[in-house]
Each structure stands twice: as structure tokens, then as C-alpha cells.
């Protein structure tokens, strides 16, 4: 007797083994995440918010009620309506990703060159004596900057960010290592990373140095701009190319389910990570912008739901090639109850009612494992429960596309069903059958 079987789309994404091994998980999850009940929810699209000069990556920060954007070395202040004012007196130079630090009365920026400050109406150089640096931070009145290529960091006089005496320098002693990253935790702990180790410093009330080393761990920092703060801990891609969480002297690997993907990355240049909080969900985005993708394009973006310990992927779309490519974000900032993404010479806004990525196709796709629990079987009909009626009555009817692979053979042809215009609220769509299989079934769907 025929009966309905549930296709397990609510299982975790697993990319740590070859896909043919999978039987009780999800093999692909793109531009959608799994809600608490396992259903798939489309990741919001991107719409234009502010246009800047050029097409360089844009880095965002919030300061004094405005959105601050750095793109093509220029600094902009942007208001709620999207009007951008160029406040560049001294450009942010160095060619690296921009790192921000906020003092009591100024915003500091570093990208490999001099530390740039935004304090009044225009940016200026913080100090002629401060080092050129990739990472700057602010701790209890001290501005701190690493010396790239050495095991040292320098610091200003307390409360005087412009004063950098030559003796205000600290050299790592417990584990000599070239500093390549710097973050400050919500508890005021300063973490200095190097390729072989991470050292924690705390403020010292008295003594020759205002900082004292507390502990050292041999994790190492493989990708410096993936060193970020989220969920009351620090996260980073370590020297073993694992994405790990650091809390005190404890380390937890968060990337077990996708480690094969991380180990296969061919280019870690400018890889970055940032916390994303939107619509009740808490994610960390980990992007390798120049890494090869399975679609023979560049730009891998993995997203970690750290509450549920689940992963999914984000992709943009190359209209010329007709295939997925890098998701078009370079940074993220939430402000005014809205979520902004730094694009290429532009600021974009994440919007759940936008069904494109800055005008390009947004394709939601999922692929199951090879389901072997049914044994020899025949699929006479596939039924999907979906959200319908989300576009206006005059818009084109969106469609969901689904296909199957039987016994790991060739994929069937796509079957399509309309999702309906406004007013079409039925939640179930029915598609035809897919024939018979001796042992395994695999399904894939996409919606644009």
C-alpha cells in the first residue's frame, strides 16, 4: 500500500565527507537557513541603500548615530536616508581590510598604513609616532596597535591617543611569534594573535607596563581578519584551518561539519568573519572571497548558526555565466533597527521582502543526502509545504523547481510548480512522480 514518506530536509548540513557517504543529513543549503523546527527560511535579499565612489570593497561601522563607511580609502558618514557625506581629510591607506576601534571621543581606522582618526568633521592622522598597522584597538584609555611582521605591539600614553613614546612597546616573551591580529573581548581582555599562538593580556594597575600576559595557547591565527567577537567569546580560523571559539583558555571547534570544505580552500586572501544578528537569528558569517567554489567561480561564504550549531552557505549570482558566485557582502553593521552590508562601492541593506541580491538573482537551493531508509521504492508524487502568495498580483508567478536522483544515477528533469501571486495562500503544492529506485533517493530543489 502506498504511503507518504517525509524527506529529511531538517537535518544538519554536512560537508566534512564526500557527498555519496551521506544518508541522514543535508548535502547543500544555499541562501537559506534552518529554523528551530528544521524548516528552510530564505536568507534576506540585498537592496541598495547608499552609492559611494568606485567599486572597492566597503567596510562599515556605527559611530555617533551615523553609519561610517570606508571604501576605496575614502571615509563617508551616512544618515538614515542613505545620503553619504565624504569626510576624508586623510585617506585610510595600506590596502588591507579596515579595522575600527572606538575611543571616548573618536573613531580610529587602520588598514596597514597610518592610524586614521575621525573626531571632528574630517579624518586626520592620529599621530606621526604611531606605527603603521593592520589592527588597532582601545583598552582602558590606551590605544594599542600591533607591529605586523614582529612579535611586538605599541601603545599610546593613557588618555592621550596622540602620544606614542618610543618606550611604550611590548614584546612577546612566552612564545615568540609575529603578531598578525588583535581583538578586545567584552571583558576587556586583549588577545594578540600570531601564526603559531594566541596570547591574552590584561590591564595592570601598576608596574613598568600597563599590560600583563595571562595565558598563551597554541591555536595560532591562520586568517587574521576572521578573528572576531560573538557570543561572549572570540572566534578565529586557527593554524589547522578550523573555525574555533575561544573562551578563557578553553577552545571549541565549531567547524567539524564543514572541515573538509575549509581544508580544501585554495585562497584565504582577505578572509573575514563577523557576527550577524537579524530577525531573531544569530549567525557568524565566514567568507573566503577569492576561494574557488564548486561552480567554478570565486568566493565561498559559510554562515554559522551558533545557537543551533548549524551551517549553511551564501552565494551571489554571475549573470554572464549563469551560475552562483561570491555573495556580494564585505562587512556588516546593524543600526537604526536595520541591517547593512558593505558591497562594492556601495552600502546595501538586508531586506526580507527583497528577492534579489542588489539586482542579481537570489537562488535558494537545498539538496538532501542519499536517502536509503526506504529500500526498493517508487515515488508517485512529491508534495511540498511552502509559503505562497508573496509577490504582487501583477508580478510573474514564481516557481519552485525540484528534481531527483535515483541510486546515484543521473538527475531527472526538473519539475516545476507555481508559488502563486498575492492571495494564493494554500501551503501545499503537488508535483508528479519520479519513478523507481532500488536503494537510494536524493532530491534537490531551488527557488529564485
Amino acid at each position: 500500500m502506498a504511503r507518504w514518506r517525509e524527506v529529511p530536509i531538517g537535518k544538519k548540513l554536512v560537508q566534512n565527507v564526500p557527498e555519496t557517504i551521506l544518508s541522514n543529513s543535508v548535502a547543500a543549503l544555499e541562501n537559506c537557513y534552518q529554523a528551530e523546527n528544521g524548516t528552510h527560511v530564505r536568507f534576506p535579499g540585498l537592496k541598495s541603500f547608499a552609492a559611494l565612489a568606485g567599486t572597492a570593497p566597503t567596510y562599515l561601522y556605527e559611530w555617533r548615530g551615523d553609519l561610517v563607511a570606508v571604501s576605496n580609502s575614502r571615509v563617508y558618514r551616512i544618515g538614515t536616508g542613505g545620503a553619504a557625506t565624504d569626510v576624508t581629510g586623510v585617506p585610510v591607506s595600506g590596502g588591507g581590510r579596515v579595522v575600527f576601534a572606538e575611543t571616548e571621543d573618536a573613531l580610529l581606522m587602520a588598514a596597514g598604513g597610518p592610524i586614521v582618526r575621525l573626531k571632528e568633521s574630517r579624518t586626520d592622522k592620529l599621530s606621526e609616532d604611531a606605527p603603521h598597522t593592520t589592527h588597532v584597538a582601545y583598552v582602558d584609555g590606551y590605544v594599542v596597535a600591533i607591529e605586523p611582521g614582529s612579535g611586538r605591539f605599541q601603545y599610546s600614553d593613557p588618555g592621550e591617543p596622540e602620544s606614542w613614546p618610543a618606550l611604550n612597546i611590548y614584546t612577546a616573551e612566552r612564545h615568540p611569534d609575529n603578531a598578525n591580529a588583535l581583538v578586545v573581548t567584552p571583558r576587556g581582555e586583549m588577545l594578540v594573535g600570531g601564526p603559531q599562538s594566541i596570547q591574552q593580556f590584561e590591564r595592570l594597575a601598576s608596574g613598568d607596563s600597563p599590560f600583563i600576559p595571562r595565558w598563551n595557547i597554541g591555536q595560532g591565527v591562520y586568517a587574521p581578519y576572521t578573528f572576531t567577537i560573538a557570543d561572549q567569546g572570540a572566534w578565529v580560523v586557527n593554524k589547522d584551518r578550523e573555525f574555533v571559539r575561544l573562551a578563557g583558555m578553553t577552545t571549541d571547534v565549531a567547524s567539524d561539519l564543514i572541515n573538509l570544505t575549509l581544508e580544501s580552500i585554495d585562497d584565504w586572501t582577505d578572509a573575514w568573519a563577523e557576527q550577524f544578528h537579524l530577525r531573531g537569528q544569530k549567525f557568524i558569517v565566514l567568507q573566503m572571497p577569492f576561494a574557488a567554489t564548486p561552480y567554478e567561480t570565486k568566493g565561498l561564504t559559510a554562515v554559522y548558526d551558533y545557537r543551533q550549531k548549524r551551517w549553511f552557505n551564501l552565494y551571489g549570482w554571475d549573470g554572464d555565466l549563469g551560475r552562483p558566485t561570491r555573495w556580494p557582502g564585505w562587512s556588516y553593521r546593524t543600526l537604526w533597527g536595520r541591517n547593512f552590508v558593505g558591497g562594492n562601492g556601495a552600502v546595501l541593506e538586508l531586506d526580507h521582502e527583497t528577492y534579489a541580491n542588489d539586482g542579481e538573482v537570489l537562488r535558494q537551493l537545498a539538496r538532501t543526502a542519499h536517502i536509503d531508509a526506504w529500500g526498493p521504492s517508487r515515488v508517485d508524487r512529491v508534495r511540498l509545504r511552502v509559503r505562497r502568495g508573496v509577490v504582487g498580483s501583477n508580478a510573474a508567478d514564481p516557481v519552485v523547481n525540484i528534481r531527483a536522483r535515483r541510486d546515484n544515477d543521473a538527475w531527472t528533469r526538473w519539475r516545476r510548480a507555481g508559488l502563486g501571486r498575492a492571495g494564493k495562500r494554500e501551503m501545499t503544492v503537488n508535483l508528479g512522480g519520479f519513478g523507481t529506485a532500488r536503494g537510494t533517493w536524493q532530491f534537490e530543489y531551488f527557488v529564485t
Side-chain angles (χ1 to χ4, degrees):
M1 174 182 286
R3 58 175 175 167
W4 288 106
R5 294 276 193 172
E6 183 175 334
V7 177
I9 67 169
K11 302 295 184 179
K12 290 184 177 182
L13 172 69
V14 176
Q15 294 178 333
N16 200 38
V17 293
E19 190 172 306
T20 52
I21 296 176
L22 302 178
S23 62
N24 192 30
S25 60
V26 174
L29 201 61
E30 299 176 3
N31 292 328
C32 59
Y33 58 88
Q34 293 163 313
E36 288 76 4
N37 62 356
T39 55
H40 294 180
V41 181
R42 180 183 60 88
F43 197 78
L46 291 165
K47 65 181 182 181
S48 177
F49 175 69
L52 310 175
T55 58
T58 301
Y59 308 106
L60 303 179
Y61 199 82
E62 171 195 355
W63 190 64
R64 293 186 176 177
D66 284 339
L67 193 64
V68 174
V70 181
S71 185
N72 197 31
S73 299
R74 310 295 295 181
V75 181
Y76 302 85
R77 291 186 72 165
I78 305 171
T80 56
T85 302
D86 191 330
V87 295
T88 309
V90 172
V92 181
S93 60
R97 183 178 178 85
V98 179
V99 173
F100 298 89
E102 190 171 352
T103 72
E104 294 177 353
D105 61 357
L107 179 64
L108 308 181
M109 293 156 275
I115 300 172
V116 172
R117 172 179 58 183
L118 177 59
K119 185 175 182 179
E120 304 297 339
S121 60
R122 310 284 286 180
T123 60
D124 63 359
K125 185 184 293 187
L126 175 64
S127 171
E128 293 292 343
D129 298 321
H132 287 203
T133 186
T134 57
H135 290 72
V136 62
Y138 183 72
V139 187
D140 290 343
Y142 292 86
V143 178
V144 182
I146 64 171
E147 289 186 5
S150 78
R152 301 184 296 270
F153 64 83
Q154 295 185 35
Y155 52 91
S156 70
D157 280 338
E160 299 182 46
E162 303 88 353
S163 177
W164 292 73
L167 295 179
N168 284 13
I169 190 168
Y170 192 97
T171 302
E173 297 174 354
R174 292 187 178 182
H175 195 301
D177 200 5
N178 289 338
N180 65 3
L182 171 68
V183 297
V184 177
T185 73
R187 294 181 294 273
E189 304 159 335
M190 188 172 69
L191 304 180
V192 180
Q196 302 301 320
S197 65
I198 297 172
Q199 193 163 2
Q200 186 222 2
F201 292 84
E202 292 182 1
R203 279 278 291 110
L204 185 64
S206 61
D208 296 333
S209 172
F211 302 100
I212 182 173
R214 289 296 188 190
W215 49 258
N216 190 93
I217 57 175
Q219 285 290 329
V221 175
Y222 188 78
Y225 296 112
T226 65
F227 213 175
T228 191
I229 301 297
D231 191 30
Q232 298 299 308
W235 304 72
V236 72
V237 173
N238 67 9
K239 64 182 180 181
D240 296 321
R241 288 184 288 177
E242 302 168 317
F243 192 56
V244 299
R245 180 181 186 272
L246 310 172
M249 298 182 67
T250 303
T251 304
D252 294 315
V253 178
S255 58
D256 284 338
L257 296 178
I258 64 164
N259 271 345
L260 184 61
T261 295
L262 296 186
E263 291 174 2
S264 302
I265 288 172
D266 60 335
D267 191 342
W268 284 89
T269 303
D270 291 340
W272 60 277
E274 282 190 18
Q275 175 180 265
F276 274 43
H277 282 185
L278 64 156
R279 216 173 193 182
Q281 306 298 320
K282 296 184 177 181
F283 304 128
I284 300 174
V285 169
L286 173 63
Q287 185 183 87
M288 289 62 64
F290 301 103
T293 74
Y295 300 103
E296 298 181 346
T297 54
K298 295 290 185 180
L300 274 174
T301 307
V303 185
Y304 184 54
D305 179 339
Y306 59 80
R307 289 191 307 174
Q308 299 190 77
K309 297 180 172 26
R310 293 172 180 259
W311 289 89
F312 63 96
N313 294 108
L314 293 180
Y315 281 103
W317 190 262
D318 189 316
D320 294 330
L321 297 177
R323 65 183 69 164
T325 188
R326 187 187 69 85
W327 182 71
W330 291 97
S331 61
Y332 168 84
R333 184 60 52 174
T334 180
L335 182 61
W336 314 309
R338 299 156 69 181
N339 300 283
F340 298 100
V341 169
N344 289 315
V347 179
L348 310 173
E349 184 175 358
L350 284 165
D351 180 30
H352 283 269
E353 302 306 318
T354 297
Y355 299 90
N357 277 330
D358 194 23
E360 293 287 350
V361 169
L362 192 166
R363 185 186 73 165
Q364 174 182 333
L365 177 142
R367 185 167 61 252
T368 71
H370 295 268
I371 305 165
D372 59 9
W374 303 345
S377 52
R378 184 178 75 241
V379 172
D380 295 323
R381 185 167 54 152
V382 171
R383 183 169 65 190
L384 302 177
R385 179 173 171 173
V386 296
R387 181 187 177 204
R388 305 183 70 200
V390 298
V391 300
S393 57
N394 296 323
D397 186 4
V399 296
V400 59
N401 307 264
I402 190 169
R403 63 181 180 175
R405 179 149 59 184
R406 300 161 297 199
D407 301 314
N408 201 33
D409 204 346
W411 287 102
T412 66
R413 289 180 297 177
W414 290 103
R415 295 187 180 275
R416 296 175 172 84
L419 293 179
R421 301 179 185 89
K424 297 293 184 180
R425 300 299 183 187
E426 309 96 302
M427 293 188 293
T428 302
V429 295
N430 291 290
L431 297 102
F434 286 97
T436 62
R438 295 185 300 274
T440 65
W441 288 90
Q442 188 176 28
F443 295 91
E444 183 177 72
Y445 80 80
F446 80 86
V447 183
T448 60

